[in-house]
Amino acid sequence: MYELINVDKKFPGVHALKSVDFKIGRGEIVGLVGENGAGKSTLMKVIYGAHQPDGGDITIDGTKVRFQNPRQAMDHGIGMVFQEQSLITNLTVMENIFLGFEQQFVSYGVINWKAMAEAARKQLAKVKLDIDPGTTTSKLSFAQRQLVELAKVLTLEERIDGDLVILLDEPTSVLAKEEVELLFSLVRELTKRASFIFVSHRMDEVLDLSDRIYVMKDGEVVDVVAHDDANVDAIQHKMVGRDVDKEYYREQKQKPYQVEAKPLVAFQNVTATGKYSDISFDLRPGEVLCLVGTEGSGREAILRTIFGLETPSAGAVSIKGVPVSKFNAQVGVANGVGYIPRERKVEGIVAGMSVYENMTLSQMGNYANSGVLRIGEEKTLARRWIDRLAIKTPDVYKDCGGLSGGNQQKVVLAKWRSAGSDIILLDHPTRGLDIGAKEDVYDMVREMSDDGVGIILVADTLEEAIGLSHTIIVLKDGNAQKRFDCSPGDKPSLYDLVHHMI
Amino acid sequence: MSFERIKPHLPWITLLVLVLVVGAADSNFLRPSNLISMAADIVPLFIMALGMTFAIYIGGIDLSAQSVANMTTVVATIALPTFGIGAALICILAGVVLGGVSGFVTTRLFVPSFISTLAVGGIAFSAAQYMSGQRALFMDASLRDSTFGWMTGSLAGIPSELFIAAALVLGAWFLQSRTTFGRALKAVGAGEPAAVASGLNVNRIKIMAFALSGGLAAIAGLLFAVKLSGGSPTLANGFLLPAIVAVLVGGTPLTGGVGGVINTLIGTLIVAVIRSSMLYFEVDATQQQMVFGLILIVAIALTIDRTKLRVVK
C-alpha cells in the first residue's frame, strides 16, 4: 500500500539515494539494513517527510503524495519512533503523548487533564504499559520510554483514516535482551494495527522480526530478501559488496611498521565508564591501527582519550613511554598528538579564519616572540604546505570555511604535520569527501606512515579500514572483540570483521 | 552585490552617511573645532567600548563595564590624596581583578557571561556605594591637576584625551592582530570547538579577555573621574547601552569572531554623531537611551550570525 518508486535524492557531492524502489504492505514488518552511509537514514527521512526526494514518486494505495514536512507525513499515517529518544523528560507521559495535539482536550482555553489521562491510558494499553499517565517521563526506564514513544506514534490511529506505517530506528540499541523480546512480541501483535519498518545494526534481530528485508549499499537497494530465504552471511556479503580495489587504498605502498620500536601510545586495561572498558594496545611508529565497530562501540572515545578530551576512569595510558596523568588537549598537543576530528567544520577548522591562521593555530608558540606573532613566517609555512599537499586555495588569506571539504581536511592535516605531530588520530577522515579527495587522504596516510608517524584510524567504511591498516581491533559495546593483523596480501575479509561487530 | 558582501562595509558607510546628513542639517557640525570636541567628549565611552569589544569578540558580553567604571570613579577620588599617581594603578588593578572574576565564573563555573558580569557589576556598584557613603565625592583641584592634569590638557590644540584614546586603540589593535593572544581570541570567537581541539587553553584566553574588558572599563572610569573632578557610584550611568551599541554597530556581532577594535572605533564615532545630532534635533536627554535601545535592537538583528545559534532564549 505504501510505495516508493524510483526515488532519488542528491546532496551536494553525494548521491544519497539512487532510484530506490521500496514497498510495504498492510500489516507487514520490513527490515532495512546497510552499512553506515549506505543511505538508510536518508531513506527513512524521505519516508517520514523530513527530506523531499529529487526524483521519483511516493504513493499510498496508488495515489501520489508529497510531504513537505514530517507533520504532513503523519497526517497520512506515517509515524517515526526516533533512535535518540524524542520525549521531553520533564513533561508527564500524557503530555508527551499528546504534545502538539492538545487541542482535542481543550475547552474554553483550559486543558481537561482527566480526559487527556483517560486517552493516554488507552494509548498505553496498546503497548501494554501499565503506568500512570501523569508520571514524569524522567522517572521511566529506557525500555518504558521506548514504549511511550511507540504509544505516541500510535495515536495516529485515532487521528487519521487509513493505514499506519511506523518507522522504528534502532529501537533496541538501549534495551536489554528480555526487553527486546517484549518489544518484538508487541510489534508482532501491533501488525493488526500498523505496518512497521525496522532498522537495526543487529542482524539477528532484523532476521528474527522482519517479513522482508531490504539490503542497501551506496544509496541503492541491492537486494530484497524474504524472511524464509534470509541468511546472515548472504546479507552481509551484499551489504559490504563490491570487490575491494587494492590500488585504491594504496595497499602496495603499505610497508611493515617498526614492531620492535618503543610504542608511541600504550593502553593498559584502560576503561572510561560508559564508553569503553579494559582496552589494551600498543601503537608503534609507522603503524596504522584501525578501530572498527558500530556507532557507540567506543571507537571515538578511545581517540578522544589519547588526545586528552576524555579522562579514563581506570587503567594506564602512556605516550612515548611517559604515563599520562592529566588529560586535556594542551597536554595532548604537547605530546605530539594531532587530532583530525570527524566534525571537520566544527572541530577541525575555524571557519572565518584564513588558511595560514588555521595552520598555525595549534603551534602559535613556534611562530611568536614573547607573544608577538611572526606573521611572515606563518605565511611561508602555509605556502609550503599548500604546495606540498596541493591544497586548492587562491592564497593563504582565503577563509578556510570557503574551501571544499577535501581541502579543509588537508589544512587540518597540514596543521598537525607541520607542527611535527607523530601520533595522528584520524576520525572518519574521508567522510563527505569525493573520490579524488579520498585518494589524496589515503596517499597522505601512507606518507605519514613512511615517516614513522603512528596513526589511529576510525574509518568511514570497512573496506577503508581493511585497506589502510596494519592492525585492526574490532570493538563491540566498548569491549575489544578481536585483533587482526593486516599485512598486505593477508588481510582479513569484510565478513571476518562484521562477524565480530554485530 | 549581495547584502552579505556589503555587510563588512556597512559601519563606515553608515558613519559617512550620518556625518553628511547631520552636516547638511547643521552647518556648525562639520567645523573642525566641533568635531574635535565631539571626539574628545566620547573618549571615556570609547575606552569602555574598546574593553567591551574583547568580551563580545569571544562571543560573550560584559555587562559589568558601567558599574566597574562607576566604582573606579569612587576609588580614584578616595585613593588620590594618599597614593597620587598610584591611584591610577589601583583603579586599573581593581578593574582587571573584577573582570578576571567574571571570566573565572564564566569559564570554571559555567555561568553565561551575561549573568556572571551582571552579578560582578552588582558587586562593583555596591562596593562603590559603600566606599562613597552614597555621596558624590570631589577631588582636590590642585592635587588632581598636578597628578592627572596631563589627561585633560591639550597639545597643539588637540585635547590629550584623543592621544590617550589613540594610544589605547593602537595597543588594542596590536594585541588583537599581531599577538598569539589576539589570534586565540579570534579562534575562540569564530570556532571554539576547533580552538579546544587545537590545544588552546580556551578558559585562560576567555578569562584574560574579561580581565582586559574590566581593566579598560576602569581606565574609562578613571578618565571620567578626572574630567569631572570627582566620583560617585552613579557617575558613569548611561554608558553601558551606548558602549554595547558602539561595538555592535561597529560590526562586531554578539556571536563574536569577526570585527574588532577598529570596528569599535568607527562604531563609537557613529554613537558620537548620533548623540550630537540628538542635541541638534533637540531630543531630550531623558529620551536618548530610548534611541540607543532601538539602535541596539536593529544592530543586533543586522549583525548576529544566526548559523551559530541553535536556540534563542
Side-chain angles (χ1 to χ4, degrees), chain B:
Chain B
M1 194 96 161
S2 67
F3 177 68
E4 285 302 313
R5 300 217 20 207
I6 306 175
K7 212 167 155 182
H9 302 289
L10 266 184
W12 69 263
I13 295 173
T14 310
L15 179 62
L16 198 68
V17 169
L18 274 177
V19 167
L20 292 177
V21 168
V22 179
D26 177 2
S27 53
N28 280 329
F29 178 75
L30 288 175
R31 283 217 322 266
S33 63
N34 180 56
L35 290 180
I36 285 177
S37 81
M38 184 182 83
D41 277 348
I42 204 86
V43 167
L45 178 69
F46 171 64
I47 296 173
M48 188 187 287
L50 204 56
M52 183 76 74
T53 311
F54 288 102
I56 295 181
Y57 197 52
I58 59 165
I61 194 153
D62 185 359
L63 297 181
S64 69
Q66 172 180 300
S67 303
V68 169
N70 271 328
M71 191 191 79
T72 319
T73 64
V74 174
V75 172
T77 312
I78 293 175
L80 181 63
T82 330
F83 297 100
I85 190 78
L89 278 180
I90 294 172
C91 290
I92 296 171
L93 196 67
V96 168
V97 167
L98 283 171
V101 170
S102 297
F104 181 85
V105 173
T106 303
T107 55
R108 304 291 160 127
L109 307 182
F110 302 104
V111 178
S113 59
F114 77 94
I115 284 296
S116 63
T117 56
L118 194 62
V120 168
I123 294 169
F125 176 64
S126 177
Q129 283 185 314
Y130 173 73
M131 284 187 284
S132 65
Q134 303 209 55
R135 283 174 294 115
L137 308 174
F138 296 96
M139 286 182 183
D140 179 68
S142 61
L143 196 56
R144 179 195 76 152
D145 289 342
S146 63
T147 317
F148 291 124
W150 53 274
M151 282 190 183
T152 48
S154 66
L155 192 71
I158 297 172
S160 315
E161 285 118 307
L162 289 182
F163 291 108
I164 296 173
L168 287 174
V169 75
L170 274 176
W173 174 81
F174 183 81
L175 200 61
Q176 174 201 302
S177 54
R178 290 275 174 248
T179 66
T180 54
F181 173 64
R183 183 71 59 73
L185 284 179
K186 188 174 179 183
V188 170
E192 191 173 328
V196 173
S198 294
L200 298 185
N201 191 339
V202 169
N203 284 351
R204 198 177 69 195
I205 292 156
K206 285 182 172 171
I207 292 173
M208 282 165 76
F210 284 106
L212 204 54
S213 177
L216 283 161
I219 296 177
L222 177 66
L223 185 61
F224 208 49
V226 172
K227 270 180 94 145
L228 298 186
S229 196
S232 116
T234 54
L235 200 65
N237 276 10
F239 268 46
L240 185 62
L241 208 48
I244 299 173
V245 168
V247 176
L248 294 178
V249 297
T252 308
L254 274 182
T255 35
V258 288
V261 295
I262 303 299
N263 290 72
T264 297
L265 177 63
I266 295 169
T268 313
L269 291 175
I270 292 175
V271 168
V273 174
I274 292 172
R275 208 191 239 179
S276 57
S277 68
M278 283 198 288
L279 291 179
Y280 178 76
F281 293 115
E282 292 174 349
V283 177
D284 192 87
T286 54
Q287 293 166 1
Q288 290 192 4
Q289 294 278 332
M290 287 191 216
V291 175
F292 283 121
L294 291 174
I295 297 173
L296 182 60
I297 292 169
V298 173
I300 291 174
L302 279 178
T303 56
I304 208 158
D305 180 358
R306 287 182 179 74
T307 57
K308 284 192 190 163
L309 300 175
R310 294 229 173 106
V311 177
V312 180
K313 283 185 183 171

Side-chain angles (χ1 to χ4, degrees), chain A residues 226-246:
Chain A
H227 176 79
D228 298 332
D229 309 331
N231 162 307
V232 178
D233 283 343
I235 291 177
Q236 281 174 354
H237 187 96
K238 293 250 167 57
M239 254 168 77
V240 285
R242 94 178 118 90
D243 288 331
V244 184
D245 182 359
K246 291 196 167 122

Side-chain angles (χ1 to χ4, degrees), chain A residues 307 330 346 371 373 375 378 415, chain B residues 178-180 183 194 197-199:
Chain A
F307 191 60
Q330 287 103 268
V346 181
L373 288 162
I375 293 176
E378 288 184 89
K415 172 169 82 180
Chain B
R178 290 275 174 248
T179 66
T180 54
R183 183 71 59 73
S198 294

